[in-house]
Amino acid sequence: MKFRAHVLVSLKEGVLDTQGKAVRVSLKNMGYGSVEEVRIGKSIMISLEATSRPEAEKQVEAMCDDLLVNPLIETRSVTLEAI
């Protein structure tokens, strides 16, 4: 079976997001005064083959643990769909 995983990676609360801070300042300077906070993250799309949905979930979680997410400073959200 084929699956598509969408992994959304964000910095944990309390971790300084210098990119987000720079974007927030730029937006305020452009006239978007209502912007209070900007957080920058990553969106990763993965297409994979697996024998079942649980197997696909297991593979994607392993990918996150091994390479895609730094658990010390980042959180993740994974959605998986059959294609």
Side-chain angles (χ1 to χ4, degrees):
M1 297 177 69
K2 293 185 182 210
F3 295 90
R4 180 176 298 122
H6 180 207
V7 181
L8 183 60
V9 182
S10 304
L11 289 172
K12 288 182 176 180
E13 284 296 321
V15 175
L16 180 62
D17 185 346
T18 55
Q19 284 182 307
K21 186 175 181 180
V23 170
R24 182 185 59 83
V25 168
S26 294
L27 288 170
K28 283 191 174 275
N29 290 340
M30 294 172 67
Y32 298 100
S34 63
V35 175
E36 296 179 0
E37 183 180 26
V38 175
R39 304 288 285 176
I40 304 293
K42 304 182 272 192
S43 175
I44 305 164
M45 300 295 286
I46 303 168
S47 297
L48 66 145
E49 290 255 353
T51 56
S52 65
R53 183 179 193 86
E55 177 59 30
E57 290 170 351
K58 184 177 174 182
Q59 286 184 41
V60 173
E61 290 297 323
M63 291 176 205
C64 289
D65 292 341
D66 291 344
L67 178 66
L68 302 177
V69 180
N70 179 345
L72 296 175
I73 61 169
E74 296 174 321
T75 62
R76 68 179 180 238
S77 170
V78 178
T79 57
L80 186 67
E81 66 177 326
I83 55 173

